[in-house]
């Protein structure tokens, strides 16, 4: 049985508290996303898996807290906050900006000599060593930033049109994009854990080549899965995506399941 997280710091939302869980998946959302991004996942993942969503400052119930705009400043607080979650076995998952955070968090765990995840699953982001290829938007005026958000998708329309809500939401959103856009990759040895990469076939900025480049970040052969849809394929192709993620998680708890799932 995995060690239970206290969950009282506000950083972790256990969307599926399972006392007899055999595996925990720790999830990091896209820019502007919070624990709601993983709502309902537990019903579509294996019953022995507990879903823990990371809620960064500036999100949801933490909306008034100061967000982090620099990944190096985020990591010490994040590492301390998640110490109770990282009892083996566990898996890290991140989408878009969350993929970058999950990757850097895995490297920090290695540096600290702490327990390592059994698997890293990254989604919707090209490999961290590649040069950022998206327009820089974190410092745009509010009106222009809102237009960019509409084009990107992933932000509910009712939120984008709610001026009061956006005034609260904007600082965390800008911080997220700044964190992602100003990230400076530092070469280190590849991780000695399996890495699975998911991407959308119609994502305008994250193509198969950018996803395949994650291979240099692991000593284990990379697994790449593509889905129909754009950057937020995990919503538009939700059933297929969660099915593939379930197969990854089943192989962590039962390596023999790889033959059955394939």
């Amino acid at each position: 049985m995995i060690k239970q997280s206290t969950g009282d710091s506000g950083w972790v939302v256990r969307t599926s508290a399972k006392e007899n869980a055999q595996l925990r998946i720790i999830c990091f959302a896209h820019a502007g996303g919070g624990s709601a991004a993983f709502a309902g996942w537990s019903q579509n993942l294996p019953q022995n898996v507990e879903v823990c969503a990371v809620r960064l400052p500036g999100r949801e119930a933490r909306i008034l807290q100061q967000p982090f705009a620099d990944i190096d400043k985020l990591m010490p607080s994040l590492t301390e906050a998640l110490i109770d979650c990282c009892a083996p076995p566990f898996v890290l998952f991140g989408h878009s900006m969350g993929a970058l955070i999950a990757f850097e968090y895995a490297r920090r765990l290695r540096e600290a000599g702490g327990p390592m995840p059994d698997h890293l699953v990254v989604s919707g982001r090209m490999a961290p060593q590649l040069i950022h290829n998206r327009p820089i938007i974190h410092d745009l005026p509010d009106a222009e930033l809102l237009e960019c958000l509409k084009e990107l998708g992933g932000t509910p329309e009712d939120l984008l049109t709610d001026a009061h809500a956006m005034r609260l939401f904007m600082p965390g959103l800008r911080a997220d994009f700044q964190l992602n856009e100003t990230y400076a990759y530092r070469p280190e040895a590849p991780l000695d854990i399996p890495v699975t990469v998911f991407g959308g076939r119609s994502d305008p900025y994250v193509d198969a080549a950018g996803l395949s480049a994650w291979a240099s970040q692991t000593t284990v052969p990379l697994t790449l899965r593509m889905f129909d849809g754009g950057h937020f394929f995990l919503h538009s192709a939700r059933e297929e995506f969660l099915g593939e993620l379930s197969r990854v998680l089943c192989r962590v708890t039962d390596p023999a399941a790889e033959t059955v799932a394939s």
Side-chain angles (χ1 to χ4, degrees):
M1 185 185 302
I2 58 177
K3 180 181 178 182
Q4 297 301 316
S5 169
T6 58
D8 59 3
S9 67
W11 283 84
V12 178
V13 177
R14 294 170 64 194
T15 66
S16 58
K18 298 179 180 180
E19 297 302 320
N20 296 316
Q22 294 178 298
L23 177 67
R24 177 177 288 141
I25 180 169
I26 304 172
C27 302
F28 300 86
H30 58 280
S35 61
F38 309 103
W41 277 31
S42 61
Q43 286 75 40
N44 295 277
L45 295 178
Q47 289 299 307
N48 62 352
V49 174
E50 180 180 74
V51 178
C52 292
V54 176
R55 178 184 285 164
L56 298 176
R59 316 291 184 283
E60 299 170 336
R62 309 182 73 189
I63 191 70
L64 298 181
Q65 296 180 13
Q66 181 67 34
F68 286 92
D70 183 293
I71 200 166
D72 290 329
K73 293 180 180 178
L74 166 64
M75 282 298 141
S77 296
L78 182 68
T79 302
E80 181 179 358
L82 298 188
I83 189 168
D84 286 338
C85 282
C86 295
F90 67 99
V91 170
L92 299 180
F93 170 86
H95 179 71
S96 195
M97 178 197 73
L100 182 65
I101 294 176
F103 166 70
E104 283 293 338
Y105 180 55
R107 299 213 295 182
R108 294 302 175 100
L109 287 174
R110 178 177 63 182
E111 180 183 351
M116 289 296 290
D118 288 76
H119 208 108
L120 172 64
V121 184
V122 290
S123 166
R125 197 189 194 284
M126 63 182 186
Q129 72 273 15
L130 301 181
I131 297 174
H132 186 80
N133 67 340
R134 294 186 175 195
I136 303 299
I137 66 173
H138 75 267
D139 55 356
L140 289 177
D142 285 355
E144 294 181 37
L145 182 55
L146 284 174
E147 287 301 314
C148 289
L149 291 177
K150 291 178 182 177
E151 294 177 9
L152 286 172
T155 305
E157 183 68 25
D158 57 348
L159 177 60
L160 292 174
T161 56
D162 186 331
H164 175 69
M166 286 308 299
R167 280 195 294 272
L168 295 173
F169 186 62
M170 194 64 78
L173 189 64
R174 288 189 181 279
D176 280 358
F177 280 110
Q178 183 176 348
L179 182 151
N180 197 44
E181 293 168 359
T182 60
Y183 170 74
Y185 173 75
R186 287 187 293 269
E188 292 183 15
L191 297 167
D192 290 321
I193 58 174
V195 175
T196 292
V197 184
F198 294 144
R201 295 186 178 94
S202 301
D203 192 322
Y205 296 107
V206 185
D207 59 12
L211 295 168
S212 297
W214 279 94
S216 66
Q217 299 300 335
T218 174
T219 59
V220 182
L222 187 77
T223 300
L224 172 63
R225 296 285 185 269
M226 301 295 290
F227 302 86
D228 289 338
H231 189 62
F232 287 98
F233 64 88
L234 70 175
H235 300 317
S236 60
R238 178 185 174 93
E239 184 176 351
E240 183 184 2
F241 160 71
L242 289 177
E244 287 293 335
L245 181 58
S246 293
R247 291 182 178 89
V248 173
L249 300 177
C250 285
R251 289 194 290 269
V252 172
T253 56
D254 181 9
E258 181 171 6
T259 302
V260 177
S262 59

